[in-house]
Amino acid sequence: MINKIVQKLADAMAGIKDGSTVLLGGFGAVGQPNQLLDALTEQGAKHLTVVANNAGTGRKGLAGLMAAGRVDKIICSFPRSAGSVVFEELQAAGKLELELVAQGTLAERIRAGGAGIPAFFTATAYGTYIGEGKEVREYDGRKYILERAIKADVALVEAWQADRWGNLRYRTSGRNFNPVMATAADLTIVQTQHIVELGELGPDDIHTPSIYVDRVIHIPYGDPPMAQPMD
Amino acid sequence: MINKIVQKLADAMAGIKDGSTVLLGGFGAVGQPNQLLDALTEQGAKHLTVVANNAGTGRKGLAGLMAAGRVDKIICSFPRSAGSVVFEELQAAGKLELELVAQGTLAERIRAGGAGIPAFFTATAYGTYIGEGKEVREYDGRKYILERAIKADVALVEAWQADRWGNLRYRTSGRNFNPVMATAADLTIVQTQHIVELGELGPDDIHTPSIYVDRVIHIPYGDPPMAQPMD
Amino acid sequence: MTATTAAAAKSQGANNVRGWGRKEMAARLAQDIPEGWYVNLGIGIPLAVGDYIPADREVVLQSENGIVGMGPLQTRANLDTWIVNAGKQNVTLMKGAAMVSHSDSFAMIRGGHLDLCVLGSFEVAANGDFANWTTSLKSVPAVGGAMDLAVGAQRIWLIMEHTAKDGKPRLLEKCTMPLTAPSVVKRVYTNLAVVDITARGFELVEMNPEITFEALQERTGAKLHKKG
Amino acid sequence: MTATTAAAAKSQGANNVRGWGRKEMAARLAQDIPEGWYVNLGIGIPLAVGDYIPADREVVLQSENGIVGMGPLQTRANLDTWIVNAGKQNVTLMKGAAMVSHSDSFAMIRGGHLDLCVLGSFEVAANGDFANWTTSLKSVPAVGGAMDLAVGAQRIWLIMEHTAKDGKPRLLEKCTMPLTAPSVVKRVYTNLAVVDITARGFELVEMNPEITFEALQERTGAKLHKKG
């Protein structure tokens, strides 16, 4: 019987090596695999390259991993935001390499990695600082730059529901980067709010098919915090 | 109020011009926009380029459009199959240009067309007859060929459910090429088995978001025929 | 008052022209969005455009983290912290909304499916170049989705102050700051005017009634053509 | 019988070796698929492999028209003509099945997510090239998904007759027919043997008991190495 559900965070993290490239789902406070990130910090793998939209906020989750000195490089689109204090400290100290990528190009490079496309052309960032030095080609009178796929060793994903095969559903904005991250790593590890029986997710209702998932752990941490004052 | 639902097939077909490139959903007998194809034959646009997985079977639907002499060129992966009689007649008579594309490359070229990617590299068909003459590039020791995106004027799609904005859901194998075809045309026309109220399709349950759809028509034709004898 | 002091006063007065406020700019832009368009509104003032779309006109707002059909901000009465927009605010969903992943959202954006994207900007040039992502490359900037939106949407409209705080023009012959994208802007809504960008460069569509054409030209860093 | 006639008889007899039947070949291959693999079975004999996976071993079958978790063929008792596989047969779905579009399905295939793809073939070469899509380019061939599967799956195993009807080898030094993909085949299951393709070329894994190594080598168009 296929059963990808593991009981302990340590088992979920087993075998992650120094030097790994790690993809992270999540956007804002939603769909962040924070408990997996804390477990990865605990697990101890070093010299990581992290691929995510942001570069962490506060001192937990990704910021905790970075504060523990485990991240050599980050590939992201939005490193500086309110609360990206650890990122800024590490940058100031010259301890963190940054590769800045336009958000859509980031998503597409990872999609390409998961889809067996080693490189593709896009108009995004042509003629800008970010596009400098990249191969340029013209199609139908418009200029495009060549971008390479991103493939990774590990993906950390947060889902709303998962079954024992690893089929996943996300809840509204919890989807974000999670499905694409799940496709582009050798080892995809999922924390899920809910475990459901096999067959409970209808075949037309699955967002991430089980083929992309290696391990699932049940982390019912509850709702994300409010994003803005509501009064 | 946005209302993409039209009542008549003639209205669904309005404005399709001679020389158009037309994308077709459907695979086997399932998810084929056959009533739209019949209406397109009726509408009369000529010198069409058709992009689909197959090249029609029998004498209706796509085969009917071809038999009426409306198709100059077909881009597909599986032209010859049981019952592809019209295709074979036209080929023998030298009246139909064929561009043969590997099925996954076909899907990806259309996906690229819909996603603003003008060209991409793939290993599929490298070193084969189909890959001959294409630009070759090596990445990480493996050879890839460059493929161009396909964009079209019109897409004909069959859905299971649609609302007045044009949000769509497909039923099991009725999905096939339909979602990707919907993304890559200037004018996407949908025939649907069921019309539902706006809001009835949950935000996490929509397969094709309304942004891709221009016109919807209600064609409750029933179930596809049995594919094989069941006794 | 002598003629000289009158001219000076006029000039002085013109320097002080505040023009439309941000809400008025947003409302002015909202008028120009027809029913049925799919529109992405950038973070900041652009997002306020959504508040001014007439209630009887259906416009579908896209947010690049995967919402097609974004509604107004949440209140305590309809709180669901799982829903955020690209600005990371808790927003509502319209009836008919669909959620997609970031990769599907940017496929939509890059593929030319948005009728319009409204962005804020620091600078815009008469050839349609604009610079809205960073004022300088000295510190590490964030880029987010601006560059993808800039090249992907059918139309880029900017909503921005006509001049910087020190009075320097932000509508220029050539941008001085790092570009977001070259040659994409179609229209600019400022506190002082609505300006199209055409093959000729800046073309005036509408002026704030508080200002004269000459005073507006003074505050514009490239030739301002009259329409026609 | 003289020694000469005996040799001739033996050779004759070997020529007539039928070896395993198609069902036996499919069953033999099915043994080698471990629990938990995601597997695409090509149209024809490969599809029969699914019938021989032990009931207590969960293997997830993918079909390139968008099924992850394909079950056996439908019967009248569970008829649902909306479900078809890549061979356009009405099939069932396993509990846990997911449907995806063709583009998502081939992203999965091309992206290396299948543990295994089993295909039929006309020819296979000692360097892993194979030819299964058309015997000739004279008439217009169909290609379907074979080329994508060939380059995408982690392993390509072929299931095929060891020789053509006229006795000519189909395991060759170099393919004579148009290639499906170069250098991808890892293992070949025939009516006479199971053969790995390694850096050395063909390596014998198992032989049908009806045949000798020498007779098998005779029927193989390139050197057949013994393991080790």
Side-chain angles (χ1 to χ4, degrees):
Chain A
M1 194 178 89
I2 297 171
N3 187 5
K4 298 179 184 172
I5 299 169
V6 299
Q7 300 303 326
K8 293 182 181 167
L9 279 164
D11 295 336
M13 293 297 121
I16 299 178
K17 295 200 177 90
D18 291 355
S20 292
T21 295
V22 182
L23 307 176
L24 303 182
F27 184 81
V30 183
Q32 296 281 2
N34 280 324
Q35 284 71 15
L36 295 182
L37 276 159
D38 292 346
L40 178 56
T41 308
E42 182 81 7
Q43 191 261 7
K46 299 183 293 289
H47 301 302
L48 303 174
T49 294
V50 165
V51 184
N53 187 61
N54 291 59
T57 54
R59 301 223 158 243
K60 291 187 181 171
L62 172 55
L65 186 71
M66 291 164 67
R70 305 291 164 67
V71 181
D72 287 0
K73 180 178 177 181
I74 186 155
I75 302 176
C76 73
S77 88
F78 216 88
R80 293 184 93 182
S81 52
S84 58
V85 285
V86 173
F87 168 78
E88 286 174 49
E89 285 164 16
L90 291 171
Q91 270 277 306
K95 287 184 179 163
L96 184 69
E97 187 186 345
L98 170 69
E99 181 177 340
L100 187 67
V101 184
Q103 193 169 109
T105 297
L106 183 67
E108 188 67 13
R109 287 177 64 190
I110 300 160
R111 192 264 173 196
I117 304 294
F120 60 90
F121 286 96
T122 175
T124 300
Y126 165 75
T128 75
Y129 166 73
I130 291 185
E132 272 173 25
K134 297 197 167 159
E135 180 177 336
V136 174
R137 198 173 285 199
E138 191 171 316
Y139 288 105
D140 301 327
R142 193 169 185 199
K143 298 252 176 59
Y144 298 86
I145 58 177
L146 186 69
E147 293 280 358
R148 291 294 311 276
I150 294 174
K151 286 210 66 172
D153 302 292
V154 179
L156 305 184
V157 161
E158 208 231 339
W160 180 246
Q161 295 171 307
D163 63 29
R164 67 174 169 83
W165 277 16
N167 287 303
L168 308 181
R169 267 176 72 85
Y170 307 94
R171 177 168 169 175
T172 55
S173 305
R175 198 173 323 184
N176 61 66
F177 278 94
N178 281 302
V180 75
M181 296 311 191
T183 67
D186 292 335
L187 175 65
T188 293
I189 307 169
V190 178
Q191 66 171 80
T192 181
Q193 295 269 349
H194 302 282
I195 298 270
V196 300
E197 288 300 311
L198 193 71
E200 208 172 317
L201 306 179
D204 292 332
D205 297 327
I206 289 166
H207 296 146
T208 291
S210 62
I211 191 170
Y212 292 116
V213 172
D214 298 287
R215 296 176 191 163
V216 173
I217 186 163
H218 187 204
I219 309 279
Y221 70 75
D223 293 333
M226 272 198 291
Q228 75 266 22
M230 297 272 174
D231 292 305
Chain B
M1 194 178 89
I2 297 171
N3 188 3
K4 298 179 184 173
I5 300 169
V6 299
Q7 301 302 326
K8 295 181 181 166
L9 279 164
D11 297 335
M13 292 297 121
I16 299 177
K17 296 201 178 86
D18 291 355
S20 293
T21 296
V22 183
L23 308 176
L24 303 182
F27 184 81
V30 182
Q32 296 282 1
N34 279 325
Q35 284 71 14
L36 295 181
L37 277 160
D38 293 346
L40 178 56
T41 309
E42 181 81 8
Q43 191 261 8
K46 299 183 293 288
H47 301 302
L48 303 174
T49 294
V50 166
V51 185
N53 186 62
N54 291 59
T57 54
R59 300 220 159 245
K60 291 186 179 172
L62 172 55
L65 186 71
M66 291 164 67
R70 304 292 165 67
V71 180
D72 287 0
K73 179 178 178 180
I74 187 154
I75 302 176
C76 72
S77 88
F78 216 86
R80 293 185 96 181
S81 51
S84 58
V85 285
V86 174
F87 167 78
E88 285 174 48
E89 285 163 18
L90 290 171
Q91 270 277 308
K95 288 183 178 163
L96 186 68
E97 187 186 344
L98 170 70
E99 182 178 338
L100 187 67
V101 184
Q103 194 170 111
T105 297
L106 183 68
E108 188 67 13
R109 287 177 63 190
I110 300 160
R111 193 263 174 195
I117 304 294
F120 60 90
F121 286 95
T122 176
T124 300
Y126 165 75
T128 75
Y129 166 74
I130 290 187
E132 272 174 26
K134 297 196 167 159
E135 180 177 336
V136 174
R137 198 174 284 198
E138 190 171 317
Y139 287 107
D140 300 327
R142 191 166 187 202
K143 298 253 176 56
Y144 298 86
I145 58 176
L146 186 69
E147 292 281 357
R148 290 294 310 276
I150 294 174
K151 285 211 66 172
D153 302 293
V154 179
L156 305 185
V157 161
E158 207 231 339
W160 180 246
Q161 296 171 307
D163 62 30
R164 66 174 169 84
W165 278 15
N167 287 302
L168 308 182
R169 267 176 73 85
Y170 307 94
R171 178 169 168 176
T172 54
S173 306
R175 197 172 325 183
N176 61 64
F177 278 95
N178 281 302
V180 75
M181 296 309 190
T183 67
D186 292 335
L187 176 64
T188 293
I189 308 169
V190 178
Q191 66 171 78
T192 181
Q193 295 269 351
H194 302 282
I195 298 271
V196 302
E197 287 300 311
L198 193 70
E200 210 171 315
L201 305 179
D204 293 332
D205 297 327
I206 289 166
H207 296 145
T208 291
S210 62
I211 192 169
Y212 292 115
V213 173
D214 298 287
R215 297 176 191 163
V216 173
I217 187 163
H218 187 203
I219 308 279
Y221 71 76
D223 292 334
M226 271 199 291
Q228 76 266 21
M230 297 273 173
D231 293 304
Chain C
M1 225 192 297
T2 63
T4 322
T5 32
K10 191 188 163 198
S11 167
Q12 180 63 37
N15 268 329
N16 287 336
V17 169
R18 219 201 147 289
W20 291 304
R22 293 182 163 200
K23 288 182 176 177
E24 291 167 302
M25 290 159 66
R28 174 64 191 80
L29 191 152
Q31 281 178 35
D32 293 344
I33 304 178
E35 177 153 281
W37 273 18
Y38 287 80
V39 179
N40 182 296
L41 301 174
I43 296 169
I45 321 176
L47 203 60
V49 170
D51 300 336
Y52 297 95
I53 294 167
D56 63 348
R57 201 188 289 173
E58 273 192 331
V59 168
V60 183
L61 302 183
Q62 200 259 14
S63 196
E64 59 266 37
N65 64 317
I67 305 176
V68 185
M70 178 175 70
L73 290 177
Q74 292 177 20
T75 64
R76 284 199 185 272
N78 58 17
L79 192 68
D80 177 350
T81 57
W82 285 91
I83 312 173
V84 298
N85 66 7
K88 298 171 186 174
Q89 299 166 299
N90 290 133
V91 292
T92 52
L93 300 179
M94 294 174 78
K95 244 187 209 185
M99 300 301 307
V100 300
S101 69
H102 262 86
S103 53
D104 287 345
S105 177
F106 279 95
M108 193 180 282
I109 289 167
R110 203 188 307 102
H113 303 283
L114 291 172
D115 296 289
L116 170 66
C117 175
V118 182
L119 294 169
S121 195
F122 303 126
E123 294 182 343
V124 60
N127 66 351
D129 293 0
F130 79 113
N132 86 338
W133 70 291
T134 187
T135 54
S136 144
L137 295 167
K138 278 179 202 161
S139 64
V140 185
V143 60
M147 289 188 180
D148 307 280
L149 286 160
V151 303
Q154 289 296 318
R155 297 164 189 82
I156 299 295
W157 292 355
L158 301 180
I159 189 163
M160 59 192 285
E161 298 293 321
H162 205 92
T163 56
K165 281 184 188 160
D166 64 3
K168 278 191 192 144
R170 302 172 96 178
L171 283 71
L172 303 167
E173 202 58 59
K174 193 174 178 343
C175 291
T176 68
M177 293 175 188
L179 290 193
T180 304
S183 306
V184 296
V185 180
K186 292 274 186 290
R187 186 171 265 205
V188 186
Y189 293 79
T190 79
N191 54 320
L192 301 181
V194 179
V195 176
D196 272 351
I197 295 181
T198 72
R200 293 202 298 165
F202 293 127
E203 276 192 9
L204 186 63
V205 175
E206 190 176 325
M207 255 170 43
N208 185 289
E210 298 170 33
I211 199 167
T212 63
F213 182 82
E214 292 66 31
L216 185 65
Q217 176 65 76
E218 243 175 59
R219 281 155 186 76
T220 305
K223 181 154 176 61
L224 195 58
H225 298 273
K226 291 185 179 173
K227 277 273 178 197
Chain D
M1 222 190 307
T2 63
T4 319
T5 33
K10 189 189 165 197
S11 168
Q12 181 63 37
N15 268 329
N16 288 337
V17 169
R18 222 204 145 287
W20 293 304
R22 293 183 164 200
K23 288 182 177 179
E24 289 167 304
M25 289 159 67
R28 174 65 190 81
L29 192 152
Q31 283 178 33
D32 293 344
I33 303 178
E35 176 152 281
W37 273 19
Y38 287 79
V39 179
N40 182 297
L41 300 174
I43 296 170
I45 322 177
L47 203 60
V49 170
D51 301 336
Y52 297 95
I53 294 167
D56 62 347
R57 201 188 289 174
E58 273 192 331
V59 168
V60 183
L61 300 183
Q62 200 260 13
S63 195
E64 59 266 37
N65 63 319
I67 305 176
V68 185
M70 179 174 69
L73 289 177
Q74 293 176 21
T75 64
R76 283 196 185 274
N78 57 18
L79 192 69
D80 177 351
T81 56
W82 285 91
I83 312 173
V84 298
N85 65 7
K88 298 171 185 173
Q89 299 166 300
N90 290 133
V91 292
T92 52
L93 300 179
M94 294 174 78
K95 243 188 208 185
M99 300 302 307
V100 300
S101 69
H102 262 86
S103 53
D104 287 345
S105 177
F106 279 95
M108 193 181 281
I109 288 168
R110 203 188 306 103
H113 302 283
L114 292 173
D115 296 289
L116 169 66
C117 176
V118 181
L119 294 169
S121 194
F122 303 125
E123 295 182 343
V124 59
N127 67 351
D129 294 359
F130 79 113
N132 84 337
W133 70 290
T134 187
T135 53
S136 145
L137 295 167
K138 279 180 202 159
S139 64
V140 185
V143 60
M147 290 189 180
D148 306 281
L149 287 161
V151 303
Q154 290 295 319
R155 298 164 189 82
I156 299 295
W157 292 354
L158 301 179
I159 187 163
M160 60 191 285
E161 299 294 319
H162 206 92
T163 56
K165 281 182 188 160
D166 64 3
K168 280 193 189 140
R170 303 171 98 178
L171 283 69
L172 302 168
E173 200 58 59
K174 193 174 176 348
C175 291
T176 68
M177 294 176 188
L179 290 192
T180 304
S183 307
V184 295
V185 180
K186 293 272 185 292
R187 183 171 269 204
V188 187
Y189 293 79
T190 78
N191 54 319
L192 301 181
V194 179
V195 176
D196 271 350
I197 295 182
T198 71
R200 293 202 297 166
F202 294 127
E203 276 192 10
L204 186 64
V205 175
E206 190 176 326
M207 256 169 44
N208 186 290
E210 299 170 33
I211 199 167
T212 63
F213 182 82
E214 292 66 30
L216 186 65
Q217 175 66 76
E218 242 175 61
R219 281 154 187 75
T220 305
K223 179 153 176 62
L224 194 59
H225 298 274
K226 292 187 180 173
K227 277 271 177 200

